[in-house]
Amino acid sequence: MGLARTLIDMNVALCRGLDRALPARVREDGNKAFVRDYLSKAFAPGTTVYDLGGGSRPSLTAAEKRERRVHLVGLDISAEELAAAPPGVYDRTIAADLCTFIGAGDADMVVCQATLEHVPDTRGAMRGLATAVKPGGRVLIFAPCRNAAFARLNLALPEGLKRRLLFALFPAKAQGHDGFKAYYDCCTPREIEALARANGLAVEERKLFWTSSYFTVFAPAFVLWRLWQGAAYLLLGKNAAETFVYVLRKDPAQDPILAAAR
């Protein structure tokens, strides 16, 4: 196992070296950028924030929540996951399926980090996001794209086999939420934007990311992936991204729920 780990580490180092020849914008890690550039600004003092799908690993620690003076609501399909969260981190928890959840429109900010790919009905989930946030509030999304090569492999491989491979090649992922069943339903930038508009959410900001770590364990596969990704971009444009971030704003004038109530 020690030799295998050494070979994997050598391949990772080689891939990173090869990647340095590419523009910086296609080398930026989407998940790290989301945490650094978006989550760090999401929690204004005195606001109510819904953390959707965070479960036992919420977007804030209990200490950060107290320091920022936010009211943090955790929503997850699993009551057990919510119960496993650090004590005091959530002010309130909701065990519910995001695909059928209807919110109270009381959130200033809704955070949906690496969750949409795990729901079988993204249309229903987007409705849940839109009904959770108050008019003028924002929804913050980070998700992988269905067209990413790793997503296609994830969909093709049997669940047990892909978990064994994932945790063998990337042991650190066994400690997080990786390995859950993924659907990638409507999980492309074009579809997310259409669903946002249909639910009264305007796109305030979009950022696309073009890298992931999955193929770095084997340099030849990494090179083939980069070439495939370039060809995919020529065919699919923004829908060829690996991951993406959206900041959506609930505009009262475009809110179909409020409009129906008038």
Side-chain angles (χ1 to χ4, degrees):
M1 191 65 184
L3 177 59
R5 190 74 254 168
T6 298
L7 290 173
I8 289 173
D9 291 343
M10 290 173 61
N11 274 271
V12 170
L14 176 57
C15 292
R16 288 175 178 168
L18 293 171
D19 236 19
R20 281 194 286 271
L22 298 177
R25 67 180 182 84
V26 301
R27 293 186 279 115
E28 186 175 19
D29 182 281
N31 194 44
K32 290 179 180 177
F34 178 78
V35 173
R36 181 190 67 234
D37 300 333
Y38 295 90
L39 276 187
S40 63
K41 304 171 185 176
F43 304 102
T47 56
T48 295
V49 178
Y50 274 55
D51 193 349
L52 303 190
S56 61
R57 295 173 64 87
S59 300
L60 283 175
T61 66
E64 288 171 335
K65 188 203 74 167
R66 289 193 297 269
E67 180 183 350
R68 301 189 186 199
R69 294 182 288 113
V70 301
H71 183 82
L72 190 64
V73 180
L75 184 147
D76 198 280
I77 195 170
S78 169
E80 290 77 13
E81 276 285 314
L82 290 166
V89 70
Y90 292 127
D91 294 290
R92 182 162 62 98
T93 59
I94 303 170
D97 185 346
L98 182 57
C99 298
T100 57
F101 173 71
I102 301 296
D106 59 339
D108 299 286
M109 173 71 71
V110 172
V111 176
C112 187
Q113 181 182 9
T115 297
L116 286 184
E117 70 271 26
H118 297 297
V119 302
D121 177 16
T122 300
R123 290 176 178 83
M126 190 65 75
R127 180 187 61 235
L129 298 176
T131 57
V133 69
K134 64 177 63 171
R138 289 174 173 81
V139 175
L140 190 56
I141 295 172
F142 169 77
C145 180
R146 181 184 179 87
N147 293 324
F150 72 84
R152 291 296 183 178
L153 282 174
N154 196 354
L155 288 169
L157 292 175
E159 289 295 313
L161 173 60
K162 72 184 182 187
R163 285 195 185 95
R164 289 194 295 272
L165 285 173
L166 179 68
F167 298 150
L169 296 172
F170 303 95
K173 292 185 180 292
Q175 309 303 317
H177 281 180
D178 298 273
F180 288 153
K181 184 175 177 60
Y183 300 92
Y184 303 100
D185 176 61
C186 297
C187 222
T188 67
R190 185 171 293 115
E191 290 168 302
I192 292 296
E193 291 171 19
L195 290 175
R197 288 192 300 271
N199 285 279
L201 299 171
V203 177
E204 191 170 81
E205 185 177 350
R206 179 192 76 194
K207 189 165 184 180
L208 308 177
F209 300 91
W210 305 93
T211 193
S212 56
S213 61
Y214 292 102
F215 296 101
T216 59
V217 296
F218 187 51
F222 179 84
V223 172
L224 288 174
W225 162 68
R226 275 300 194 191
L227 293 172
W228 179 90
Q229 188 186 57
Y233 176 75
L234 293 176
L235 292 172
L236 301 174
K238 65 184 180 183
N239 276 0
E242 293 286 299
T243 58
F244 51 80
V245 168
Y246 277 94
V247 181
L248 308 174
R249 183 178 182 275
K250 188 171 185 177
D251 184 348
Q254 298 179 14
D255 184 353
I257 297 171
L258 291 181
R262 292 191 183 105

Coordinates of all heavy atoms in Angstrom, one line a residue, residues 180-242:
F180 N -21.9 9.6 -1.4 CA -23.3 9.5 -1.5 C -23.8 9.3 -2.9 O -23.2 9.8 -3.8 CB -24.0 10.7 -0.9 CG -23.9 10.8 0.6 CD1 -23.9 12.1 1.3 CD2 -23.7 9.7 1.4 CE1 -23.8 12.2 2.6 CE2 -23.6 9.8 2.8 CZ -23.6 11.0 3.4
K181 N -24.9 8.7 -3.1 CA -25.5 8.5 -4.4 C -25.7 9.9 -5.1 O -26.3 10.8 -4.5 CB -26.8 7.7 -4.4 CG -27.3 7.4 -5.8 CD -28.5 6.5 -5.6 CE -29.2 6.2 -7.0 NZ -28.2 5.5 -7.9
A182 N -25.3 10.0 -6.3 CA -25.5 11.2 -7.1 C -26.4 11.0 -8.3 O -26.3 9.9 -9.0 CB -24.1 11.8 -7.5
Y183 N -27.2 12.0 -8.6 CA -28.1 11.9 -9.8 C -27.8 12.9 -10.9 O -28.0 12.7 -12.0 CB -29.5 12.1 -9.3 CG -30.0 11.1 -8.3 CD1 -29.9 11.4 -6.9 CD2 -30.6 9.9 -8.7 CE1 -30.4 10.5 -6.0 CE2 -31.1 9.0 -7.7 CZ -31.0 9.3 -6.4 OH -31.4 8.4 -5.5
Y184 N -27.3 14.1 -10.5 CA -26.9 15.2 -11.4 C -28.1 15.6 -12.2 O -28.0 16.0 -13.4 CB -25.8 14.8 -12.3 CG -24.5 14.4 -11.5 CD1 -24.2 13.0 -11.4 CD2 -23.7 15.3 -11.0 CE1 -23.0 12.7 -10.7 CE2 -22.5 15.0 -10.3 CZ -22.2 13.6 -10.2 OH -21.1 13.3 -9.5
D185 N -29.3 15.5 -11.7 CA -30.5 15.8 -12.4 C -30.6 17.3 -12.7 O -30.5 18.1 -11.8 CB -31.8 15.4 -11.6 CG -33.1 15.8 -12.2 OD1 -33.3 15.4 -13.3 OD2 -33.8 16.6 -11.6
C186 N -30.7 17.7 -14.0 CA -30.7 19.1 -14.4 C -29.5 19.9 -13.8 O -29.6 21.1 -13.6 CB -32.0 19.8 -13.9 SG -33.5 19.1 -14.7
C187 N -28.4 19.2 -13.6 CA -27.3 19.8 -13.0 C -26.3 20.4 -14.0 O -25.1 19.9 -14.1 CB -26.6 18.8 -12.1 SG -26.1 19.5 -10.5
T188 N -26.7 21.3 -14.8 CA -25.9 22.0 -15.8 C -26.2 23.5 -15.6 O -27.3 23.9 -15.2 CB -26.1 21.6 -17.2 OG1 -27.4 22.0 -17.6 CG2 -25.9 20.1 -17.4
P189 N -25.2 24.4 -16.0 CA -25.5 25.8 -15.8 C -26.8 26.3 -16.6 O -27.6 27.0 -16.0 CB -24.2 26.5 -16.4 CG -23.2 25.5 -16.1 CD -23.8 24.1 -16.3
R190 N -27.0 25.8 -17.8 CA -28.1 26.2 -18.5 C -29.4 25.8 -17.8 O -30.4 26.6 -17.8 CB -28.1 25.6 -20.0 CG -29.2 26.1 -20.9 CD -29.0 25.7 -22.3 NE -27.8 26.4 -22.9 CZ -26.7 25.7 -23.3 NH1 -26.6 24.4 -23.2 NH2 -25.7 26.4 -23.8
E191 N -29.5 24.6 -17.3 CA -30.7 24.1 -16.7 C -30.9 24.8 -15.3 O -32.1 25.2 -15.0 CB -30.7 22.6 -16.5 CG -30.8 21.9 -17.8 CD -30.4 20.4 -17.7 OE1 -29.3 20.1 -17.2 OE2 -31.3 19.6 -18.0
I192 N -29.9 25.1 -14.6 CA -30.0 25.8 -13.3 C -30.5 27.2 -13.5 O -31.4 27.7 -12.8 CB -28.6 25.8 -12.6 CG1 -28.2 24.4 -12.1 CG2 -28.7 26.8 -11.4 CD1 -29.1 23.8 -11.1
E193 N -30.0 27.9 -14.5 CA -30.5 29.2 -14.8 C -32.0 29.2 -15.2 O -32.7 30.1 -14.8 CB -29.6 29.8 -15.9 CG -28.2 30.1 -15.5 CD -27.3 30.6 -16.6 OE1 -27.8 31.0 -17.7 OE2 -26.1 30.5 -16.4
A194 N -32.4 28.2 -16.0 CA -33.8 28.2 -16.4 C -34.7 27.9 -15.2 O -35.8 28.5 -15.0 CB -34.0 27.1 -17.4
L195 N -34.3 27.0 -14.3 CA -35.1 26.7 -13.1 C -35.1 27.8 -12.2 O -36.1 28.1 -11.5 CB -34.5 25.4 -12.4 CG -34.6 24.1 -13.1 CD1 -33.9 23.0 -12.4 CD2 -36.1 23.8 -13.3
A196 N -34.0 28.6 -12.1 CA -34.0 29.8 -11.2 C -35.0 30.8 -11.7 O -35.8 31.3 -10.9 CB -32.6 30.4 -11.2
R197 N -35.0 31.1 -13.0 CA -36.0 32.0 -13.5 C -37.4 31.6 -13.3 O -38.3 32.4 -13.0 CB -35.7 32.2 -15.0 CG -34.5 33.0 -15.4 CD -34.4 33.4 -16.8 NE -34.5 32.2 -17.7 CZ -33.4 31.6 -18.2 NH1 -32.2 32.0 -17.8 NH2 -33.5 30.6 -19.0
A198 N -37.6 30.3 -13.5 CA -39.0 29.8 -13.3 C -39.5 29.9 -11.9 O -40.7 29.9 -11.6 CB -39.0 28.3 -13.7
N199 N -38.6 30.0 -10.9 CA -38.9 30.2 -9.5 C -38.7 31.5 -8.9 O -38.6 31.7 -7.7 CB -38.1 29.1 -8.7 CG -38.7 27.7 -8.9 OD1 -39.6 27.3 -8.2 ND2 -38.0 26.9 -9.8
G200 N -38.6 32.5 -9.8 CA -38.5 33.9 -9.4 C -37.2 34.3 -8.8 O -37.0 35.2 -8.0
L201 N -36.1 33.6 -9.2 CA -34.8 33.9 -8.8 C -33.9 34.4 -9.9 O -33.8 33.8 -11.0 CB -34.1 32.6 -8.2 CG -34.8 31.9 -7.0 CD1 -34.1 30.6 -6.7 CD2 -34.7 32.8 -5.8
A202 N -33.4 35.6 -9.8 CA -32.6 36.2 -10.8 C -31.1 35.9 -10.6 O -30.6 35.8 -9.4 CB -32.8 37.7 -10.8
V203 N -30.4 35.6 -11.6 CA -28.9 35.3 -11.6 C -28.2 36.6 -11.3 O -28.1 37.5 -12.2 CB -28.4 34.6 -12.8 CG1 -26.9 34.4 -12.7 CG2 -29.1 33.3 -13.1
E204 N -27.7 36.7 -10.1 CA -26.9 37.9 -9.7 C -25.4 37.7 -10.1 O -24.7 38.7 -10.5 CB -27.0 38.2 -8.2 CG -26.5 39.5 -7.8 CD -26.9 39.8 -6.4 OE1 -26.3 39.3 -5.4 OE2 -27.9 40.6 -6.2
E205 N -24.9 36.5 -9.9 CA -23.5 36.2 -10.3 C -23.4 34.7 -10.6 O -24.1 33.9 -10.1 CB -22.6 36.5 -9.1 CG -21.1 36.4 -9.4 CD -20.3 36.7 -8.2 OE1 -20.8 37.3 -7.2 OE2 -19.1 36.4 -8.2
R206 N -22.5 34.4 -11.6 CA -22.2 33.1 -12.0 C -20.7 32.9 -12.2 O -20.1 33.8 -12.7 CB -22.9 32.7 -13.3 CG -22.6 31.3 -13.8 CD -23.1 31.1 -15.2 NE -22.2 31.7 -16.2 CZ -22.5 31.9 -17.5 NH1 -23.7 31.5 -17.9 NH2 -21.6 32.5 -18.3
K207 N -20.2 31.8 -11.7 CA -18.8 31.6 -11.9 C -18.6 30.1 -12.2 O -19.1 29.2 -11.5 CB -17.9 31.9 -10.7 CG -16.4 31.9 -11.0 CD -15.6 32.6 -10.0 CE -14.1 32.6 -10.4 NZ -13.2 33.2 -9.4
L208 N -17.9 29.8 -13.3 CA -17.7 28.5 -13.8 C -16.2 28.0 -13.5 O -15.3 28.9 -13.5 CB -17.9 28.4 -15.3 CG -19.3 28.9 -15.8 CD1 -19.3 28.8 -17.3 CD2 -20.4 28.1 -15.1
F209 N -16.1 26.8 -13.2 CA -14.7 26.2 -12.8 C -14.4 25.0 -13.7 O -15.3 24.3 -14.1 CB -14.7 25.9 -11.3 CG -14.9 27.0 -10.4 CD1 -16.2 27.3 -10.0 CD2 -13.9 27.8 -10.0 CE1 -16.5 28.3 -9.2 CE2 -14.2 28.9 -9.1 CZ -15.4 29.2 -8.7
W210 N -13.1 24.9 -14.0 CA -12.7 23.9 -15.1 C -11.7 22.9 -14.6 O -11.0 22.4 -15.4 CB -12.2 24.7 -16.3 CG -13.2 25.7 -16.7 CD1 -13.3 27.0 -16.4 CD2 -14.3 25.5 -17.6 NE1 -14.3 27.7 -17.0 CE2 -15.0 26.7 -17.8 CE3 -14.7 24.4 -18.4 CZ2 -16.1 26.9 -18.6 CZ3 -15.8 24.5 -19.2 CH2 -16.5 25.8 -19.3
T211 N -11.7 22.6 -13.3 CA -10.7 21.6 -12.8 C -11.3 20.8 -11.7 O -12.3 21.2 -11.0 CB -9.4 22.3 -12.3 OG1 -8.4 21.3 -12.2 CG2 -9.6 23.0 -11.0
S212 N -10.8 19.6 -11.5 CA -11.1 18.7 -10.4 C -10.0 17.8 -10.2 O -9.1 17.7 -11.1 CB -12.4 17.9 -10.7 OG -12.3 17.2 -11.9
S213 N -9.9 17.1 -9.1 CA -8.7 16.3 -8.7 C -8.8 14.9 -9.1 O -7.9 14.1 -9.0 CB -8.5 16.4 -7.2 OG -9.6 15.9 -6.5
Y214 N -10.0 14.4 -9.6 CA -10.2 13.0 -9.7 C -9.2 12.3 -10.7 O -8.9 11.1 -10.5 CB -11.6 12.7 -10.2 CG -12.6 13.1 -9.2 CD1 -13.4 14.3 -9.2 CD2 -12.9 12.3 -8.1 CE1 -14.3 14.7 -8.3 CE2 -13.8 12.6 -7.1 CZ -14.5 13.8 -7.2 OH -15.4 14.2 -6.2
F215 N -8.7 12.9 -11.7 CA -7.9 12.2 -12.7 C -6.4 12.4 -12.4 O -5.6 11.9 -13.2 CB -8.2 12.7 -14.1 CG -9.6 12.3 -14.5 CD1 -10.6 13.2 -14.5 CD2 -9.9 11.0 -14.9 CE1 -11.9 12.9 -14.8 CE2 -11.2 10.6 -15.2 CZ -12.2 11.6 -15.2
T216 N -6.1 13.2 -11.4 CA -4.7 13.5 -11.1 C -3.9 12.2 -10.6 O -2.7 12.3 -10.5 CB -4.5 14.6 -10.0 OG1 -5.2 14.2 -8.8 CG2 -5.1 15.9 -10.6
V217 N -4.6 11.2 -10.2 CA -4.0 10.0 -9.7 C -3.3 9.2 -10.7 O -2.5 8.3 -10.4 CB -5.0 9.1 -8.9 CG1 -5.5 9.8 -7.7 CG2 -6.1 8.6 -9.8
F218 N -3.5 9.5 -12.0 CA -2.9 8.8 -13.1 C -2.7 9.8 -14.3 O -3.6 10.2 -15.0 CB -3.8 7.6 -13.6 CG -3.2 6.7 -14.6 CD1 -1.9 6.2 -14.4 CD2 -3.9 6.4 -15.7 CE1 -1.3 5.3 -15.4 CE2 -3.3 5.5 -16.7 CZ -2.0 5.0 -16.5
A219 N -1.5 10.2 -14.5 CA -1.1 11.3 -15.4 C -1.7 11.0 -16.8 O -2.2 12.0 -17.4 CB 0.4 11.5 -15.4
P220 N -1.5 9.8 -17.4 CA -2.1 9.7 -18.8 C -3.6 10.0 -18.8 O -4.1 10.6 -19.8 CB -1.8 8.2 -19.1 CG -0.6 7.9 -18.3 CD -0.8 8.6 -17.0
A221 N -4.4 9.5 -17.8 CA -5.8 9.8 -17.8 C -6.0 11.3 -17.6 O -7.0 11.8 -18.2 CB -6.4 9.0 -16.7
F222 N -5.2 11.9 -16.9 CA -5.3 13.4 -16.7 C -5.2 14.1 -18.0 O -5.9 15.0 -18.3 CB -4.3 13.8 -15.6 CG -4.3 15.3 -15.3 CD1 -5.2 15.8 -14.4 CD2 -3.4 16.2 -16.0 CE1 -5.2 17.2 -14.2 CE2 -3.5 17.5 -15.7 CZ -4.4 18.0 -14.8
V223 N -4.2 13.8 -18.7 CA -3.9 14.4 -20.0 C -5.1 14.2 -21.0 O -5.6 15.1 -21.6 CB -2.6 13.9 -20.7 CG1 -2.4 14.5 -22.1 CG2 -1.4 14.3 -19.8
L224 N -5.6 13.0 -21.1 CA -6.7 12.7 -21.9 C -8.0 13.5 -21.4 O -8.7 14.0 -22.3 CB -7.0 11.2 -21.9 CG -6.1 10.3 -22.6 CD1 -6.4 8.8 -22.4 CD2 -6.0 10.6 -24.1
W225 N -8.1 13.6 -20.1 CA -9.3 14.3 -19.6 C -9.2 15.8 -20.0 O -10.2 16.4 -20.4 CB -9.3 14.2 -18.1 CG -10.1 15.3 -17.4 CD1 -11.5 15.4 -17.5 CD2 -9.7 16.4 -16.6 NE1 -11.9 16.5 -16.8 CE2 -10.8 17.1 -16.3 CE3 -8.4 16.8 -16.2 CZ2 -10.7 18.3 -15.5 CZ3 -8.3 17.9 -15.4 CH2 -9.4 18.6 -15.1
R226 N -8.0 16.4 -19.9 CA -7.9 17.8 -20.3 C -8.2 18.0 -21.8 O -8.8 19.0 -22.2 CB -6.5 18.3 -20.0 CG -6.2 18.8 -18.5 CD -7.1 19.9 -18.2 NE -6.8 20.6 -17.0 CZ -7.5 21.5 -16.4 NH1 -8.7 21.8 -16.9 NH2 -7.1 22.1 -15.3
L227 N -7.7 17.1 -22.6 CA -8.0 17.2 -24.0 C -9.5 17.0 -24.3 O -10.1 17.7 -25.1 CB -7.2 16.1 -24.8 CG -5.7 16.3 -24.8 CD1 -5.0 15.0 -25.4 CD2 -5.3 17.5 -25.6
W228 N -10.1 16.0 -23.6 CA -11.6 15.8 -23.8 C -12.3 17.0 -23.3 O -13.3 17.5 -23.9 CB -12.0 14.6 -22.9 CG -13.4 14.3 -23.0 CD1 -14.1 13.5 -23.9 CD2 -14.5 14.8 -22.1 NE1 -15.4 13.5 -23.6 CE2 -15.7 14.3 -22.6 CE3 -14.4 15.7 -21.0 CZ2 -16.9 14.6 -21.9 CZ3 -15.6 16.0 -20.4 CH2 -16.8 15.4 -20.9
Q229 N -11.9 17.7 -22.2 CA -12.6 18.8 -21.7 C -12.5 20.0 -22.7 O -13.5 20.7 -22.9 CB -11.9 19.3 -20.4 CG -12.7 20.3 -19.6 CD -12.0 20.8 -18.4 OE1 -10.9 21.3 -18.5 NE2 -12.7 20.8 -17.3
G230 N -11.4 20.2 -23.3 CA -11.3 21.2 -24.4 C -12.2 21.0 -25.5 O -12.9 21.9 -26.0
A231 N -12.3 19.8 -26.0 CA -13.3 19.4 -27.0 C -14.7 19.6 -26.6 O -15.6 20.1 -27.3 CB -13.1 18.0 -27.5
A232 N -15.0 19.3 -25.3 CA -16.4 19.4 -24.8 C -16.7 20.9 -24.7 O -17.9 21.3 -25.0 CB -16.4 18.8 -23.4
Y233 N -15.8 21.8 -24.4 CA -16.1 23.2 -24.3 C -16.5 23.7 -25.7 O -17.4 24.6 -25.8 CB -14.9 23.9 -23.8 CG -15.0 25.4 -23.7 CD1 -15.9 26.0 -22.8 CD2 -14.4 26.2 -24.7 CE1 -16.1 27.4 -22.8 CE2 -14.6 27.6 -24.7 CZ -15.5 28.2 -23.7 OH -15.7 29.5 -23.8
L234 N -15.8 23.3 -26.7 CA -16.1 23.7 -28.1 C -17.5 23.3 -28.5 O -18.2 24.1 -29.2 CB -15.1 23.1 -29.1 CG -13.7 23.6 -29.0 CD1 -12.8 22.9 -30.0 CD2 -13.6 25.1 -29.2
L235 N -18.0 22.2 -27.9 CA -19.4 21.7 -28.3 C -20.4 22.3 -27.3 O -21.5 22.6 -27.8 CB -19.4 20.2 -28.2 CG -18.6 19.5 -29.3 CD1 -18.6 18.0 -29.0 CD2 -19.2 19.7 -30.7
L236 N -20.1 22.4 -26.0 CA -21.1 22.6 -25.0 C -21.0 24.0 -24.4 O -21.9 24.4 -23.6 CB -21.1 21.6 -23.9 CG -21.3 20.1 -24.4 CD1 -21.1 19.2 -23.2 CD2 -22.7 19.9 -25.0
G237 N -19.9 24.7 -24.6 CA -19.7 26.0 -23.9 C -19.7 25.9 -22.4 O -19.1 25.0 -21.8
K238 N -20.5 26.8 -21.8 CA -20.6 26.8 -20.3 C -21.0 25.5 -19.7 O -20.7 25.2 -18.6 CB -21.5 27.9 -19.9 CG -23.0 27.7 -20.2 CD -23.8 28.9 -19.8 CE -25.3 28.8 -20.2 NZ -26.1 30.0 -19.9
N239 N -21.8 24.7 -20.5 CA -22.3 23.4 -19.9 C -21.2 22.3 -19.8 O -21.5 21.2 -19.4 CB -23.4 22.9 -20.8 CG -24.8 23.5 -20.3 OD1 -24.8 24.3 -19.4 ND2 -25.8 23.2 -21.0
A240 N -20.0 22.7 -20.3 CA -18.9 21.7 -20.1 C -18.1 21.9 -18.8 O -17.1 21.2 -18.6 CB -17.9 21.8 -21.3
A241 N -18.5 22.9 -18.0 CA -17.7 23.2 -16.8 C -17.7 22.0 -15.9 O -18.6 21.2 -15.9 CB -18.4 24.4 -16.1
E242 N -16.7 22.0 -15.0 CA -16.6 20.9 -14.0 C -17.5 21.2 -12.9 O -18.3 20.3 -12.4 CB -15.1 20.8 -13.5 CG -14.1 20.3 -14.5 CD -14.3 18.8 -14.8 OE1 -14.1 18.0 -13.9 OE2 -14.5 18.5 -16.0

